Amino acid sequence: MSKRLSISVIALGFGMLAAVMSGCAANRVDLVETGVLALEKQAAGKVYISWSSVFEQEDGLVITGFLRRRDRVGSPIKTHVDVTVLSPNGQVVDTARSNDVYVPRRITGRGQSLRRFRIYLRNVPGRGSLVKMVSHSGPHDDAMSTS
Protein backbone atom coordinates (compact mmCIF):
# COMPACT_ATOMS: atom_id res chain seq x y z
CA MET A 1 0.00 0.00 0.00
CA SER A 2 2.85 2.39 0.76
CA LYS A 3 4.41 1.83 -2.66
CA ARG A 4 1.10 2.58 -4.38
CA LEU A 5 0.72 5.80 -2.38
CA SER A 6 4.23 7.01 -3.23
CA ILE A 7 3.65 6.33 -6.95
CA SER A 8 0.41 8.30 -6.77
CA VAL A 9 2.15 11.23 -5.08
CA ILE A 10 4.91 11.25 -7.71
CA ALA A 11 2.39 11.11 -10.55
CA LEU A 12 0.41 13.96 -8.97
CA GLY A 13 3.62 15.99 -8.65
CA PHE A 14 4.48 15.49 -12.34
CA GLY A 15 0.92 16.41 -13.32
CA MET A 16 1.08 19.66 -11.34
CA LEU A 17 4.49 20.48 -12.79
CA ALA A 18 3.20 19.97 -16.34
CA ALA A 19 0.18 22.19 -15.66
CA VAL A 20 2.33 25.00 -14.24
CA MET A 21 4.83 24.84 -17.10
CA SER A 22 2.15 24.92 -19.77
CA GLY A 23 0.47 27.87 -18.06
CA CYS A 24 3.72 29.86 -17.89
CA ALA A 25 4.45 29.36 -21.58
CA ALA A 26 0.90 30.07 -22.74
CA ASN A 27 1.11 33.87 -22.49
CA ARG A 28 4.27 34.18 -24.61
CA VAL A 29 4.31 34.88 -28.34
CA ASP A 30 7.50 34.11 -30.27
CA LEU A 31 8.01 37.16 -32.49
CA VAL A 32 10.69 35.55 -34.66
CA GLU A 33 8.61 32.48 -35.55
CA THR A 34 5.58 34.63 -36.35
CA GLY A 35 7.66 36.87 -38.64
CA VAL A 36 7.16 40.10 -36.69
CA LEU A 37 10.89 40.54 -35.99
CA ALA A 38 14.11 39.37 -37.61
CA LEU A 39 16.95 38.08 -35.44
CA GLU A 40 20.62 38.45 -36.34
CA LYS A 41 23.38 36.83 -34.29
CA GLN A 42 26.88 38.17 -34.85
CA ALA A 43 29.82 35.85 -34.20
CA ALA A 44 32.73 37.36 -32.30
CA GLY A 45 35.28 35.91 -29.89
CA LYS A 46 35.46 32.58 -28.11
CA VAL A 47 31.83 32.59 -26.91
CA TYR A 48 28.89 32.50 -29.33
CA ILE A 49 25.10 32.52 -29.14
CA SER A 50 24.05 28.97 -29.92
CA TRP A 51 20.27 29.51 -29.69
CA SER A 52 18.07 32.52 -29.13
CA SER A 53 14.52 33.76 -29.49
CA VAL A 54 12.43 36.85 -28.84
CA PHE A 55 9.14 36.66 -26.94
CA GLU A 56 6.43 39.20 -26.28
CA GLN A 57 5.03 39.11 -22.77
CA GLU A 58 2.54 41.21 -20.87
CA ASP A 59 5.18 43.62 -19.57
CA GLY A 60 7.31 43.96 -22.74
CA LEU A 61 9.87 41.97 -24.69
CA VAL A 62 12.09 39.10 -23.52
CA ILE A 63 15.17 38.02 -25.45
CA THR A 64 16.50 34.70 -24.27
CA GLY A 65 19.04 32.16 -25.43
CA PHE A 66 22.11 30.06 -24.71
CA LEU A 67 25.81 30.89 -24.85
CA ARG A 68 28.47 28.34 -25.71
CA ARG A 69 32.24 28.36 -26.10
CA ARG A 70 34.08 27.49 -29.28
CA ASP A 71 37.16 26.09 -27.54
CA ARG A 72 37.60 23.17 -25.16
CA VAL A 73 40.39 24.49 -22.91
CA GLY A 74 40.81 27.12 -20.24
CA SER A 75 38.90 28.55 -17.35
CA PRO A 76 35.37 30.01 -17.58
CA ILE A 77 35.00 33.18 -19.67
CA LYS A 78 33.05 36.13 -18.29
CA THR A 79 30.80 37.43 -21.07
CA HIS A 80 27.51 39.18 -21.75
CA VAL A 81 25.19 39.75 -24.71
CA ASP A 82 24.71 43.16 -26.30
CA VAL A 83 21.39 43.74 -28.07
CA THR A 84 20.50 46.49 -30.53
CA VAL A 85 16.94 46.81 -31.86
CA LEU A 86 16.67 48.56 -35.24
CA SER A 87 13.46 49.86 -36.80
CA PRO A 88 12.59 48.84 -40.38
CA ASN A 89 14.21 52.06 -41.65
CA GLY A 90 17.49 51.33 -39.80
CA GLN A 91 17.22 53.67 -36.81
CA VAL A 92 18.22 52.40 -33.36
CA VAL A 93 15.07 51.89 -31.31
CA ASP A 94 16.58 50.36 -28.16
CA THR A 95 19.79 48.87 -26.79
CA ALA A 96 20.29 46.52 -23.86
CA ARG A 97 22.86 44.31 -22.22
CA SER A 98 22.48 41.03 -20.35
CA ASN A 99 23.99 40.33 -16.97
CA ASP A 100 27.46 38.84 -16.94
CA VAL A 101 27.56 35.08 -17.50
CA TYR A 102 30.48 32.73 -16.88
CA VAL A 103 30.65 30.21 -19.73
CA PRO A 104 32.72 27.11 -18.86
CA ARG A 105 34.95 25.24 -21.26
CA ARG A 106 33.21 22.91 -23.65
CA ILE A 107 33.33 19.26 -22.60
CA THR A 108 32.41 16.65 -25.19
CA GLY A 109 29.48 14.49 -24.15
CA ARG A 110 28.26 16.76 -21.37
CA GLY A 111 25.46 19.30 -21.65
CA GLN A 112 26.95 21.52 -18.96
CA SER A 113 28.72 23.86 -21.35
CA LEU A 114 25.61 25.93 -22.25
CA ARG A 115 24.71 29.00 -20.21
CA ARG A 116 21.38 30.84 -20.43
CA PHE A 117 21.00 34.59 -20.84
CA ARG A 118 17.89 36.73 -20.62
CA ILE A 119 17.29 40.38 -21.52
CA TYR A 120 14.14 42.39 -20.80
CA LEU A 121 12.96 45.37 -22.86
CA ARG A 122 9.93 47.47 -21.96
CA ASN A 123 8.94 48.44 -25.51
CA VAL A 124 7.92 46.02 -28.24
CA PRO A 125 9.29 47.18 -31.61
CA GLY A 126 7.09 47.34 -34.70
CA ARG A 127 6.72 44.77 -37.45
CA GLY A 128 9.82 44.38 -39.62
CA SER A 129 12.30 45.46 -36.93
CA LEU A 130 15.68 43.77 -36.58
CA VAL A 131 17.21 42.51 -33.33
CA LYS A 132 21.02 42.31 -33.52
CA MET A 133 22.86 40.33 -30.85
CA VAL A 134 26.54 39.83 -30.16
CA SER A 135 28.35 38.08 -27.32
CA HIS A 136 30.95 40.40 -25.82
CA SER A 137 33.70 39.37 -23.37
CA GLY A 138 35.45 42.65 -22.61
CA PRO A 139 34.41 45.84 -20.83
CA HIS A 140 32.62 48.64 -22.67
CA ASP A 141 33.85 52.22 -22.88
CA ASP A 142 30.82 53.43 -20.91
CA ALA A 143 31.45 50.83 -18.18
CA MET A 144 35.03 52.04 -17.59
CA SER A 145 34.59 55.20 -15.59
CA THR A 146 37.48 56.76 -13.74
CA SER A 147 36.87 57.95 -10.21
Side-chain angles (χ1 to χ4, degrees), residues 2-146:
S2 174
K3 185 175 181 178
R4 180 181 243 178
L5 180 64
S6 63
I7 291 174
S8 298
V9 169
I10 291 172
L12 180 65
F14 279 125
M16 289 175 54
L17 180 65
V20 167
M21 288 179 64
S22 66
C24 291
N27 62 350
R28 298 189 332 175
V29 176
D30 189 344
L31 298 178
V32 176
E33 285 184 7
T34 57
V36 174
L37 297 176
L39 189 62
E40 180 181 302
K41 297 181 279 189
Q42 299 172 347
K46 291 183 178 182
V47 178
Y48 68 97
I49 301 166
S50 65
W51 174 87
S52 60
S53 193
V54 181
F55 296 100
E56 181 179 2
Q57 289 186 333
E58 298 166 356
D59 56 346
L61 198 69
V62 178
I63 302 167
T64 185
F66 289 101
L67 296 171
R68 187 173 212 175
R69 282 184 54 172
R70 295 184 195 283
D71 59 351
R72 300 182 190 283
V73 295
S75 59
I77 296 175
K78 180 180 173 182
T79 187
H80 61 269
V81 177
D82 293 321
V83 171
T84 305
V85 180
L86 301 172
S87 67
N89 60 5
Q91 293 181 337
V92 175
V93 175
D94 204 355
T95 59
R97 183 180 305 159
S98 72
N99 292 332
D100 288 333
V101 178
Y102 286 90
V103 182
R105 66 186 172 101
R106 194 169 172 182
I107 301 173
T108 305
R110 295 193 183 179
Q112 300 171 348
S113 61
L114 294 172
R115 288 294 180 256
R116 178 179 287 277
F117 70 90
R118 186 175 301 238
I119 301 169
Y120 296 98
L121 299 172
R122 291 184 186 261
N123 300 323
V124 178
R127 180 173 283 281
S129 296
L130 175 66
V131 178
K132 288 187 172 186
M133 299 187 314
V134 63
S135 172
H136 188 261
S137 297
H140 288 272
D141 292 336
D142 62 344
M144 296 185 293
S145 61
T146 57

